[in-house]
Amino acid sequence: MIFSTLEQLHLITLLVNKIVGLSNSLEKGMIVTFVCITGLLVTRWVYWKHFPLSDLYESLIFLSWSFYLIHMIPYFFKKEKNSLSAITAPSAIFTQGFATSGLLTEMHQSAILVPALQSQWLMMHVSMMVLSYAALLCGSLLSVTLLIITFQKDIIRIFDKRKHFLNDSFFFGEVQYMNQKSNIVQNALPSFGRNYYRSQLIEQLDHWSYRVISLGFIFLTIGILSGAVWANEAWGSYWNWDPKETWAFITWTIFAIYLHIRTNKNLRGANSAIVAFIGFLIIWICYFGVNLLGIGLHSYGSFTLTLN
């Protein structure tokens, strides 16, 4: 099963990192892309004379830039590889791909800001919010991976019960072949070695998830506080229970619960990871919900998909 190969995938990632050529190519590619996106953001900033976070397209580009930044931060402090690259690299590439896929073509061209956005708080508030989304999403994905590895036997059992649905599938033979390869890899390792490696991987995922979510929570707190000050200047009230504000508060509450649970050693691991998974879903509602509906005081970034 696909879920049963997560540990081998992580092992393969570690082995690939030992190959100097492939590892250097990945890092060089990430650095070059990071520099290019930075140049794009700076160019839009200079040309339009406002920080490039005025619509969904620009926020997605900045979100992608944030993923690249989080990906490279560990390498600024130490040379050894870490578990973040398996999450940050795909997240950055996927976000960048969606932003430039053509679905947001109408937003690629920036425009003059509406009066409410013509404030110095734009850079402070929105940048902190998007950085918090990037960090919280990365940390939550690490927690989701932890959950999959922890409950992989139960997940495999559920899928095995539905295995007969694949019997008539065109690619069932290929799935069987992949499972056989997976079993070969699993049987090649001693039982004790597999359990030890699995426990070490879970502990590492929990450790990095906590650190990244803690960083994102700080950014989110700063973003909400700066947004409240800006709201008072723009609308005359610190808090208006706007849909975006409400979901941001719910997001903050969920991850505050996560951090509180994490202080109890007995509730670490799968228990806190479940809360992080709930937070992962809430973030997407907070980030895309208002933009899709185009309602509330934060409806500046609403968009219409271009499906030509």
Side-chain angles (χ1 to χ4, degrees):
M1 304 303 294
I2 295 176
F3 296 110
S4 66
T5 64
L6 279 174
E7 292 171 359
Q8 292 108 35
L9 178 60
H10 182 75
L11 178 61
I12 292 172
T13 302
L14 294 178
L15 293 176
V16 168
N17 286 333
K18 297 300 181 182
I19 304 176
V20 178
L22 292 179
S23 178
N24 289 341
S25 298
L26 171 63
E27 294 312 314
K28 288 179 181 178
M30 296 292 287
I31 292 173
V32 170
T33 307
F34 175 78
V35 172
C36 291
I37 295 179
T38 303
L40 172 64
L41 293 173
V42 172
T43 301
R44 294 177 72 96
W45 189 358
V46 173
Y47 184 81
W48 291 103
K49 295 180 176 56
H50 65 76
F51 197 71
L53 279 172
S54 60
D55 54 39
L56 184 61
Y57 168 73
E58 292 179 340
S59 70
L60 282 171
I61 293 295
F62 191 83
L63 180 64
S64 177
W65 180 87
S66 302
F67 283 132
Y68 283 108
L69 180 63
I70 294 173
H71 173 84
M72 292 187 297
I73 281 178
Y75 301 101
F76 295 154
F77 298 98
K78 57 183 180 179
K79 296 181 179 179
E80 64 185 62
K81 304 298 178 182
N82 57 80
S83 301
L84 285 178
S85 59
I87 298 297
T88 53
S91 299
I93 295 171
F94 174 79
T95 306
Q96 181 184 352
F98 177 74
T100 58
S101 62
L103 296 176
L104 304 176
T105 303
E106 295 180 0
M107 283 195 168
H108 287 196
Q109 183 68 27
S110 187
I112 299 175
L113 291 178
V114 297
L117 296 180
Q118 295 176 6
S119 171
Q120 297 298 326
W121 288 103
L122 173 66
M123 181 172 65
M124 177 66 177
H125 168 62
V126 185
S127 63
M128 286 295 101
M129 294 300 295
V130 178
L131 282 171
S132 72
Y133 293 157
L136 293 174
L137 286 172
C138 286
S140 299
L141 285 173
L142 289 171
S143 293
V144 171
T145 306
L146 184 153
L147 287 175
I148 293 175
I149 294 175
T150 302
F151 299 107
Q152 68 174 14
K153 292 183 179 179
D154 297 327
I155 296 174
I156 293 173
R157 190 179 302 113
I158 293 174
F159 274 84
D160 284 341
K161 291 180 181 179
R162 293 170 172 78
K163 207 171 193 178
H164 63 278
F165 287 111
L166 294 175
N167 288 334
D168 299 328
S169 174
F170 177 76
F171 56 89
F172 179 66
E174 183 179 353
V175 173
Q176 277 188 322
Y177 175 77
M178 292 173 61
N179 289 337
Q180 291 174 358
K181 291 292 185 181
S182 174
N183 292 334
I184 292 174
V185 176
Q186 284 185 341
N187 294 332
L189 295 173
S191 176
F192 175 78
R194 288 201 305 269
N195 292 334
Y196 175 78
Y197 172 76
R198 180 171 175 270
S199 64
Q200 290 296 310
L201 177 58
I202 290 176
E203 183 179 348
Q204 189 177 16
L205 287 171
D206 185 55
H207 170 75
W208 277 106
S209 175
Y210 172 69
R211 293 182 67 176
V212 177
I213 287 178
S214 298
L215 177 64
F217 185 78
I218 294 173
F219 287 148
L220 182 63
T221 302
I222 297 174
I224 291 176
L225 292 177
S226 60
V229 176
W230 187 11
N232 184 57
E233 290 185 2
W235 303 318
S237 175
Y238 287 100
W239 197 266
N240 299 280
W241 292 107
D242 177 74
K244 195 81 167 183
E245 295 174 347
T246 303
W247 282 105
F249 176 72
I250 294 174
T251 303
W252 187 90
T253 303
I254 292 296
F255 285 103
I257 294 173
Y258 167 86
L259 295 176
H260 178 71
I261 290 177
R262 200 54 181 59
T263 59
N264 189 332
K265 293 182 179 181
N266 297 326
L267 297 178
R268 293 179 183 178
N271 295 287
S272 59
I274 292 174
V275 179
F277 171 68
I278 296 173
F280 174 80
L281 301 177
I282 298 298
I283 291 173
W284 287 114
I285 296 175
C286 179
Y287 184 56
F288 276 115
V290 176
N291 300 92
L292 287 171
L293 298 176
I295 59 175
L297 298 172
H298 289 78
S299 60
Y300 309 112
S302 61
F303 67 98
T304 303
L305 292 178
T306 304
L307 302 177
N308 298 10

